[in-house]
Amino acid sequence: MSKQYQQDNLIGQSNALLEVLEHVSKVAPLSKPVLIIGERGTGKELIAERLHYLSARWDQSFIKLNCSSLSENLLESELFGHESGAFTGAKGKHEGRFERADGGTLFLDELANTSGLIQEKLLRVIEYGEFERVGGSKTVQSDVRLICAANEDLPALAETGEFRADLLDRLAFDVITLPPLRSRTEDIMPLAEHFAISMARQLGLEYFGGFGAIAIEQLMMHDWPGNIRELKNVVERSVYREGSEGQEIDHIILDPFASPYRPLSRIKTRERQVRPVEPVMDKPELDVGKNETTIVQNSLEFPINFKEYTENAEVTLLQRALAEGQYNQKKTADLLGLSYHQLRGILKKYNLLDKS
Ligand SMILES: Nc1ncnc2c1ncn2[C@@H]1O[C@H](COP(=O)(O)OP(=O)(O)OP(=O)(O)O)[C@@H](O)[C@H]1O
Ligand SMILES: [Mg+2]
């Protein structure tokens, strides 16, 4: 993979992202460990790759390992390798990731929950550049640039003793924190277009017909808890379900589970009984689990433009109800406790009439 390819692959023009990219370019050439912190789906793996391809090690191996998916024993032998017969089933010598990444970069993802034993061995390998394979006594040398990622607050874990503070110090020569998508909303549409175009290409469409006004509003108003990965899924799903040759995407299918036949969640119903009023969130979310319609909200930031906010809330509510009612206006009106004519009046006000 060339440096150019990497550059083209990373979409975004927000200041928050540009600052991160500048930071990445600065620290990439050093052979020091770097820690990447960010919520799920913010692009940690992509940034780790970029650090590698912008370093002098770019033509050597870039080896990855997700530490959360393996038991302690397996993780130990995956990282450091094992000698023949080291444990039951250990047939033949096995080279660990540290050996395979020699001269290159090792990316350890989801490092936060590794055991004390693994953390101790990591500390040693960082400190002395050497380790022993499981079941072996021979010391193996390895020159590896370590990049680690976590979506948890490692300093907090170090304070409570759940993560070794001395290891954290060594891993965190520098820390790159990736901003969540909701704090770089300028990146939403360029990313959405990028994912839509590549999905259209995969589907063999000649070109992508663009997003309609409602779809754009939906994309811009969503909170994106799953960040870029969620945006990618949502856009790809909408293009494949709604996009035909040259056709504009009118609606975004944010929730693939949305269906009038979806079973009610027992947990949700119980939660609501003990917690009648939720703190407030950036945008209202329609909770359709019960008979009465509840707007659940949390973490509002003032000042707020009341008119704009309530209008946005109404549009979101209408869109969700329309989707729930499968764009049948009679059904949608029933879902909202409105008459058919009342609903049409409101849809007209928001220019949603021809879209439903
Ligand atoms: N700036 C970007 N431009 C284009 N695609 C991006 C960008 N950032 C992330 N992606 C894409 O979003 C998806 C998620 O990115 P990635 O796997 O790097 O996130 P992550 O932080 O490692 O997620 P997780 O914590 O869930 O492992 C990938 O498909 C990646 O290619
Ligand atoms: Mg990842």
Side-chain angles (χ1 to χ4, degrees):
M1 217 181 291
S2 73
K3 289 184 185 183
Q4 190 54 45
Y5 174 70
Q6 281 301 307
Q7 226 134 10
D8 290 340
N9 211 18
L10 250 160
I11 310 290
Q13 54 206 29
S14 62
N15 280 338
L17 182 70
L18 295 180
E19 273 169 28
V20 164
L21 296 184
E22 216 176 288
H23 193 169
V24 168
S25 307
K26 214 166 179 182
V27 74
L30 308 180
S31 263
K32 300 272 195 189
V34 176
L35 195 54
I36 306 172
I37 304 282
E39 288 180 15
R40 65 193 158 107
T42 43
K44 295 184 291 293
E45 190 162 333
L46 219 56
I47 291 295
E49 282 175 14
R50 195 180 176 86
L51 280 165
H52 172 71
Y53 289 107
L54 291 179
S55 79
R57 297 168 179 256
W58 67 272
D59 56 348
Q60 301 290 314
S61 335
F62 175 73
I63 305 278
K64 319 179 217 188
L65 185 64
N66 187 322
C67 300
S68 73
S69 59
L70 300 170
S71 68
E72 180 185 69
N73 287 344
L74 263 179
L75 180 59
E76 188 186 13
S77 91
E78 274 310 309
L79 283 170
F80 306 104
H82 62 73
E83 298 290 351
S84 169
F87 47 84
T88 325
K91 292 192 198 94
K93 191 184 90 174
H94 172 72
E95 271 198 352
R97 307 286 162 120
F98 270 98
E99 269 172 272
R100 284 167 47 198
D102 192 20
T105 305
L106 178 59
F107 173 48
L108 300 182
D109 203 357
E110 300 198 40
L111 188 73
N113 300 312
T114 45
S115 68
L117 168 91
I118 299 288
Q119 291 182 27
E120 197 181 315
K121 283 193 96 163
L122 282 174
L123 187 67
R124 234 194 95 205
V125 80
I126 294 172
E127 197 80 328
Y128 306 109
E130 59 182 41
F131 57 92
E132 283 101 39
R133 296 190 195 105
V134 178
S137 51
K138 195 175 126 222
T139 302
V140 183
Q141 305 270 341
S142 177
D143 162 32
V144 165
R145 202 262 179 103
L146 209 52
I147 300 176
C148 299
N151 49 21
E152 290 185 54
D153 185 1
L154 286 179
L157 291 181
E159 245 165 58
T160 56
E162 285 163 83
F163 197 86
R164 285 186 75 128
D166 47 3
L167 176 61
L168 184 59
D169 284 345
R170 284 168 180 83
L171 291 177
F173 165 75
D174 208 352
V175 180
I176 294 173
T177 307
L178 295 186
L181 193 53
R182 65 185 164 280
S183 54
R184 42 174 163 136
T185 47
E186 311 94 288
D187 291 345
I188 294 175
M189 287 319 296
L191 281 163
E193 298 268 345
H194 168 76
F195 295 135
I197 290 168
S198 69
M199 189 61 189
R201 205 172 290 143
Q202 271 183 55
L203 291 171
L205 303 178
E206 221 162 276
Y207 65 97
F208 165 60
F211 293 105
I214 294 173
I216 294 177
E217 190 170 345
Q218 283 180 289
L219 289 168
M220 292 304 292
M221 278 184 57
H222 187 59
D223 222 24
W224 302 114
N227 293 292
I228 300 163
R229 178 174 295 111
E230 184 190 4
L231 175 70
K232 184 169 186 268
N233 279 337
V234 160
V235 166
E236 289 181 347
R237 184 187 309 124
S238 299
V239 172
Y240 120 82
R241 281 210 204 163
E242 314 247 309
S244 43
E245 200 64 75
Q247 181 90 27
E248 213 175 55
I249 304 284
D250 286 337
H251 298 96
I252 297 291
I253 304 150
L254 284 170
D255 179 7
F257 290 99
S259 160
Y261 310 114
R262 179 176 175 179
L264 294 186
S265 152
R266 258 180 261 151
I267 299 166
K268 247 186 161 176
T269 317
R270 223 177 17 222
E271 255 181 14
R272 199 165 318 111
Q273 281 162 359
V274 285
R275 237 172 351 125
V277 184
E278 284 273 341
V280 199
M281 78 181 178
D282 302 354
K283 81 185 168 41
E285 182 188 319
L286 175 61
D287 196 330
V288 284
K290 233 187 171 185
N291 280 349
E292 81 260 16
T293 307
T294 328
I295 304 268
V296 183
Q297 305 188 317
N298 57 41
S299 79
L300 267 185
E301 262 182 49
F302 289 101
I304 277 175
N305 180 323
F306 178 79
K307 197 159 168 282
E308 200 177 292
Y309 182 88
T310 47
E311 280 179 2
N312 283 341
E314 284 189 20
V315 171
T316 307
L317 188 53
L318 288 166
Q319 285 165 344
R320 298 255 182 128
L322 280 166
E324 188 86 6
Q326 294 164 320
Y327 301 97
N328 173 313
Q329 293 180 7
K330 178 76 185 69
K331 267 194 212 165
T332 307
D334 287 345
L335 287 173
L336 294 170
L338 296 169
S339 73
Y340 174 76
H341 291 290
Q342 281 172 328
L343 174 72
R344 285 192 58 91
I346 301 172
L347 289 175
K348 194 162 175 220
K349 173 177 161 198
Y350 290 118
N351 213 7
L352 290 170
L353 211 45
D354 55 333
K355 308 278 182 186
S356 56

